[in-house]
Amino acid sequence: MKKIILAAALAALSSPALAASTDAGKYQVVLGDCEGCHGKNLAGGVVLTTPFGKMVTPNITPDKDTGIGNYSAEDFRQAMKAGLAPGGKLLYPAMPYPSYARMSDGDVAALWGYLKTVKPVKNQVNVNQLRFPFNLRFAMRGWNMLFFAPAPYANNPAKSAAWNRGAYLVSGAGHCGACHTPKNAFGADKATALTGAALQGWFAPDLTSDAGAGLGSWSQADIVEYLQTGRNNRSMASGPMAEAVENSTSKMTDADLKAIAVYLKDLPASRGNGGGATGIEAQMKSGAVLYDISCAACHDRNGKGSLIFPPLAGNPTVRQVRADSIVRMVLAGGKGAATAKAPTGPGMPSFAWRLSDNQVADILTYVRNNWGNRAPAVSPETVGRIRSSLHGS
Amino acid sequence: MIALELALKLAANKNRIAGVDFMQHDPRALSRRRLLASVAAVPILAASADGRTISGELPWSPFAGEPPRPVNPLGWYFFTPGEAATVEAIVDRFIPGDHLSPGGKDSGCAVFIDRQLAGSFGQSSRLYTKGPFMPGLPTQGYQGDLTPAGRYRLGLWALNDYTNTTYKKDFRALGIDQQDAVLGGLDGGKIKLKLKPGFSTKEFFELMLQNTMEGFFADPLYGGNKNMASWKMIGFPGARYDYRDHIDKHNQPYPKGPVSIYGQV
């Protein structure tokens, strides 16, 4: 069995035979989660909020006027791997070309082969709504010089085929780092890959093997189950990750999910989440009372959760260095992924109407430092800031 | 839990079949055409296959919910100051303060009634209130043309008219014993206030008693039941929603205090 998986992984990694088939190209859409930004019909128009202003995703259907119907295969390859559109127009790295640059030419060609067959949709999009000076596209030339070193994925002969396939997917088409890798002031990846990052009002968790914030306690099977169904016994995807699970990871092959798990489990532990908080006795006491009346019925008195209610004890989402995601979930509510294997897509109600900033801070400090969890305290100011940013958007 | 998941799925599917969505803001909200089309589809679905997977998920949107808004505890929205003082005196006789609980006034019963009369209850906005006005059975409730707000306005005027005629004082200025005698007279039929045909003195008394109890026992967000005093008195746990730890503990008092809808403990 293992041999078959390895063989399949190798075949998928370098197979010009598959490149022509649109099925293979369609699978690249899954791997790259194109729908996540370009919409279900790939006609774009999805608004992305970045620290530099708003961007609207372009139409990538083969419509000749408003899509990419006039692209050649080489034009497409340049856009995917060099961030260059026809006519020398520079793309913004919100399109994750720094990741896609690692894809094989065969996979990019397969993707192009499929995109040509998609139904053309007429949808004119005004992509660039960034603030000055970020709206000046030529500035991306400097950005590329500083931060973009395109290099196809290089096989690591010291590692297994599955590991290499996992690394190829995570760093390439899957562009996991787009959310999970911390960014510098210019929005470029820092060297601390996949150690967790704040974006769009969420905190994408640490994916390294750190025992506190990362996936240190997860097995490979846990990771596969999470990516396939959107949940496992330790956590549940929500927000942008729930979308990524629905559009992308739940549709990946078992072999690819296993490969991703193999690779992630081999990432060295990050520096952690800053550890537990001290001097929080008052918050813990108040948090315990509030947890009992607002949270315990679903998440369980001992934070163990159940099938459709995620556990809080040992849940990495709860233990990140920043609490943005869980503050947001308490205030606005949350929505899990609905996948073929877990179709419910359970939701959490909003508590913004009922809990004050102080109460949310107390509950979350309690949750982050109870049942074996250790993470920094949450302040009412943080909750207030997130509350007003959510209502402002 | 599996049962719950199934139930949720069923609910989602049922709503999908019927074309009904939970969220009002949903652009797919029910239209007449859609309802007719989907109702027409139901027998076809039922008649055709043995098993059918209908996929879909529960609708969800951030900050969803229509929580009840807590009343502003200050001032009067419907009563004049004189009416308010009369009602405060009445609710304090219905529920006198003692070692078990604060009285009706301190519990906020008059505030509760005032806010209800200023709102949709006071205007009968959910009831048909046009003529013809026919006498009904007692079980059918009030059948006349007055809204609850109108009945209070008339009733409170008639009450003070009666006490001024009889005692030369407003009701609120009477001694406790006199107040009890008047209220007893309204209830027992000895006193007939100058009301309207179809609105008896007894009905006015019962309306006030009913609303006072509602204010005393309703969630504090509606203006009465201040500090959940009535719930503490009778041991009602309020808006708690998880008793699994106590299901097997028969004949033991529930150890936890009440919780209000807004999470007050």
Side-chain angles (χ1 to χ4, degrees):
Chain A
M1 182 66 199
K2 202 172 254 175
K3 268 190 187 149
I4 296 172
I5 293 174
L6 292 185
L10 276 174
L13 185 55
S14 54
S15 61
L18 276 176
S21 127
T22 52
D23 276 359
K26 195 171 181 184
Y27 188 57
Q28 294 301 323
V29 172
V30 166
L31 293 181
D33 192 6
C34 307
E35 292 178 3
C37 288
H38 295 281
K40 291 269 179 218
N41 59 1
L42 302 176
V46 177
V47 178
L48 303 180
T49 309
T50 78
F52 313 107
K54 283 193 172 144
M55 300 204 69
V56 184
T57 58
N59 182 349
I60 58 167
T61 67
D63 181 61
K64 290 217 183 286
D65 301 323
T66 63
I68 58 173
N70 293 321
Y71 274 38
S72 68
E74 178 57 17
D75 288 340
F76 184 69
R77 200 186 69 84
Q78 284 286 319
M80 287 288 288
K81 300 185 68 166
L84 271 174
K89 191 170 85 168
L90 293 157
L91 300 186
Y92 285 95
M95 162 70 179
Y97 62 84
S99 298
Y100 294 157
R102 296 167 71 79
M103 292 173 70
S104 73
D105 284 350
D107 283 348
V108 173
L111 175 55
W112 175 241
Y114 172 69
L115 287 180
K116 281 190 298 186
T117 69
V118 169
K119 183 169 164 270
V121 177
K122 204 165 280 300
N123 185 28
Q124 188 68 50
V125 175
N126 174 17
V127 171
N128 187 352
Q129 303 182 13
L130 295 172
R131 288 193 304 273
F132 181 83
F134 310 110
N135 57 352
L136 304 174
R137 276 191 187 267
F138 66 81
M140 286 302 108
R141 187 162 298 142
W143 193 93
N144 284 342
M145 279 170 64
L146 286 169
F147 305 117
F148 181 43
Y153 179 72
N155 205 54
N156 182 343
K159 301 287 187 181
S160 69
W163 188 97
N164 276 293
R165 175 68 178 167
Y168 173 74
L169 291 172
V170 167
S171 65
H175 64 285
C176 306
C179 295
H180 291 275
T181 296
K183 304 286 181 277
N184 64 19
F186 301 96
D189 285 359
K190 289 188 186 171
T192 49
L194 304 175
T195 56
L199 83 161
Q200 296 197 9
W202 295 86
F203 190 85
D206 187 341
L207 300 182
T208 72
S209 295
D210 184 73
L215 306 177
S217 63
W218 290 31
S219 68
Q220 288 178 11
D222 287 335
I223 296 175
V224 170
E225 186 184 3
Y226 181 90
L227 294 174
Q228 197 159 58
T229 67
R231 63 160 299 282
N232 61 18
N233 289 331
R234 300 165 187 279
S235 193
M236 184 178 284
S238 54
M241 190 62 199
E243 291 172 22
V245 168
E246 286 183 359
N247 293 328
S248 175
T249 64
S250 67
K251 297 172 182 168
M252 290 183 188
T253 64
D254 291 358
D256 278 351
L257 292 175
K258 181 80 191 297
I260 289 171
V262 167
Y263 173 69
L264 290 181
K265 283 302 290 181
D266 198 43
L267 289 174
S270 67
R271 277 174 296 175
N273 64 357
T278 52
I280 53 169
E281 289 75 15
Q283 275 196 301
M284 291 293 283
K285 206 170 152 188
S286 154
V289 173
L290 293 163
Y291 180 88
D292 183 42
I293 62 171
S294 291
C295 320
C298 293
H299 293 285
D300 191 88
R301 270 178 227 302
N302 298 313
K304 288 198 304 255
S306 68
L307 194 59
I308 59 166
F309 304 122
L312 302 177
N315 184 336
T317 305
V318 166
R319 303 194 295 195
Q320 298 305 303
V321 59
R322 287 178 55 165
D324 301 46
S325 292
I326 52 174
V327 169
R328 184 182 185 132
M329 265 185 270
V330 170
L331 291 175
K335 176 77 168 67
T339 56
K341 291 198 171 178
T344 303
M348 164 161 162
S350 160
F351 283 84
W353 61 274
R354 162 168 162 153
L355 296 172
S356 68
D357 292 348
N358 275 305
Q359 289 174 318
V360 175
D362 290 352
I363 289 175
L364 291 178
T365 299
Y366 170 79
V367 165
R368 277 158 73 82
N369 290 279
N370 200 13
W371 317 300
N373 287 344
R374 306 283 289 151
V378 180
S379 73
E381 291 73 27
T382 300
V383 178
R385 181 178 54 73
I386 294 173
R387 192 192 292 261
S388 48
S389 75
L390 290 175
H391 282 297
S393 64
Chain B
M1 281 309 123
I2 290 168
L4 176 56
E5 189 169 18
L6 274 175
L8 289 171
K9 273 153 73 175
L10 271 175
N13 290 338
K14 269 162 88 177
N15 280 298
R16 209 147 281 254
I17 291 168
V20 175
D21 276 303
F22 293 128
M23 299 299 157
Q24 292 183 336
H25 313 294
D26 197 303
R28 296 164 301 159
L30 183 67
S31 71
R32 183 182 157 83
R33 182 182 298 260
R34 209 175 131 88
L35 176 70
L36 292 175
S38 54
V39 168
V42 167
I44 300 167
L45 281 179
S48 64
D50 301 324
R52 176 181 282 255
T53 305
I54 302 172
S55 65
E57 37 185 306
L58 291 167
W60 180 91
S61 56
F63 294 102
E66 288 184 55
R69 303 258 300 268
V71 304
N72 173 7
L74 301 175
W76 301 102
Y77 284 48
F78 172 76
F79 292 139
T80 64
E83 288 170 341
T86 307
V87 173
E88 286 186 332
I90 293 167
V91 298
D92 242 8
R93 292 322 300 152
F94 284 157
I95 305 172
D98 58 19
H99 66 284
L100 294 172
S101 82
K105 177 184 168 184
D106 288 344
S107 296
C109 291
V111 174
F112 170 88
I113 295 171
D114 176 76
R115 302 306 188 264
Q116 292 300 315
L117 293 177
S120 67
F121 170 78
Q123 299 309 313
S124 283
S125 59
R126 293 180 61 197
L127 299 176
Y128 177 81
T129 54
K130 303 280 194 298
F133 301 103
M134 313 282 279
L137 297 170
T139 50
Q140 292 172 316
Y142 178 72
Q143 295 291 312
D145 64 343
L146 287 171
T147 61
R151 275 175 271 161
Y152 266 91
R153 188 128 284 155
L154 175 62
L156 293 173
W157 170 83
L159 176 63
N160 279 319
D161 179 65
Y162 169 81
T163 56
N164 274 298
T165 308
T166 312
Y167 302 100
K168 308 282 179 243
K169 281 178 183 171
D170 281 350
F171 177 86
R172 65 176 185 269
L174 300 178
I176 285 172
D177 291 341
Q178 287 171 323
Q179 287 181 342
D180 285 352
V182 171
L183 291 173
L186 302 181
D187 183 26
K190 285 192 191 138
I191 299 172
K192 298 279 181 223
L193 300 180
K194 290 181 197 160
L195 300 173
K196 283 182 68 169
F199 179 39
S200 71
T201 301
K202 172 88 173 168
E203 274 176 317
F204 177 52
F205 175 86
E206 283 175 349
L207 179 66
M208 292 193 295
L209 180 60
Q210 175 67 26
N211 294 158
T212 302
M213 290 192 288
E214 287 163 358
F216 192 62
F217 289 111
D219 191 276
L221 78 92
Y222 299 105
N225 195 7
K226 213 173 271 178
N227 301 319
M228 299 180 286
S230 70
W231 294 355
K232 287 172 186 164
M233 177 179 79
I234 61 173
F236 177 63
R240 287 187 184 275
Y241 56 105
D242 178 20
Y243 301 98
R244 284 171 298 176
D245 291 352
H246 302 275
I247 287 171
D248 294 331
K249 297 176 184 168
H250 301 291
N251 301 318
Q252 295 177 38
Y254 182 70
K256 292 180 175 175
V259 173
S260 74
I261 287 175
Y262 269 80
Q264 176 191 351
V265 285

